[in-house]
Structures are given as C-alpha cells and as structure tokens.
Amino acid sequence: MKKKNIVILIVCLVVLSLISALVFGNQGLIDVYRTHLEIKRRSEQISEAIESLDSLKEVRDKLVSDTAYIERVAREKLGMSAEDEKIYKFVED
C-alpha cells in the first residue's frame, strides 16, 4: 500500500511540475500572453504612425500644389501678408 501512495505522490508531483512549467516557464502561457499584449500595443503604434504619415503626405501635397492652402499657412503660421495689405496688431494694456 505504501508503494502505491508513493507512486501516486510522484505522479502528482510530475503533473504539477509540468503544469507549472506550462504556465510559468519560459514560453509558458503567461509569457505568451505578455507577448500577445506587446504585439497588440506595437500594432496600435504602427497604425497611429501610418495615420500620421498619411496626414503629413496630404499636407506635403497641398504645400506643393494648392496655392490657397500655401497662402493660408503663410498667413496663419508665419504671420505673412500680401504686399498691398496692412496688418494691425491690438495690444492690451
């Protein structure tokens, strides 16, 4: 009877060791889940970068070909004006 108990104990320890290795070991379930989360986070970063790149390409194309857009950018961002225009700045006391 004692040998049977020892065999059962050994089998249980082996099974627990295998389950522990499967869950916590290198390339175990926890590691796979962390890798999955990292891949998901990186994919989101790539999507955001692609959207930003597309937006910048649109701006570049407008700056090359759209004179109205170029004028608007020059006025708003650079504070420029046409030759015959006067600019008034109101300063508060």
Side-chain angles (χ1 to χ4, degrees):
M1 191 72 173
K2 281 193 169 192
K3 284 188 175 184
K4 186 177 182 183
N5 287 343
I6 292 175
V7 171
I8 292 173
L9 180 64
I10 292 173
V11 169
C12 286
L13 288 174
V14 169
V15 169
L16 285 174
S17 296
L18 290 174
I19 290 173
S20 176
L22 177 67
V23 173
F24 300 107
N26 192 21
Q27 297 181 351
L29 294 176
I30 292 175
D31 195 37
V32 169
Y33 181 69
R34 285 184 187 143
T35 303
H36 169 73
L37 291 178
E38 181 69 16
I39 289 170
K40 184 177 177 183
R41 186 177 68 82
R42 297 289 173 117
S43 295
E44 290 170 357
Q45 287 178 337
I46 289 170
S47 295
E48 290 172 4
I50 289 171
E51 288 177 19
S52 177
L53 183 61
D54 290 342
S55 175
L56 289 171
K57 284 179 181 178
E58 286 180 29
V59 170
R60 181 199 62 196
D61 292 343
K62 286 181 182 178
L63 286 171
V64 168
S65 61
D66 188 351
T67 55
Y69 182 78
I70 294 170
E71 183 178 342
R72 190 173 85 220
V73 169
R75 289 174 184 277
E76 293 174 2
K77 305 232 181 213
L78 303 176
M80 299 177 80
S81 63
E83 286 184 29
D84 58 342
E85 292 180 330
K86 292 182 183 178
I87 297 178
Y88 295 97
K89 287 189 179 183
F90 297 96
V91 181
E92 294 183 29
D93 291 332

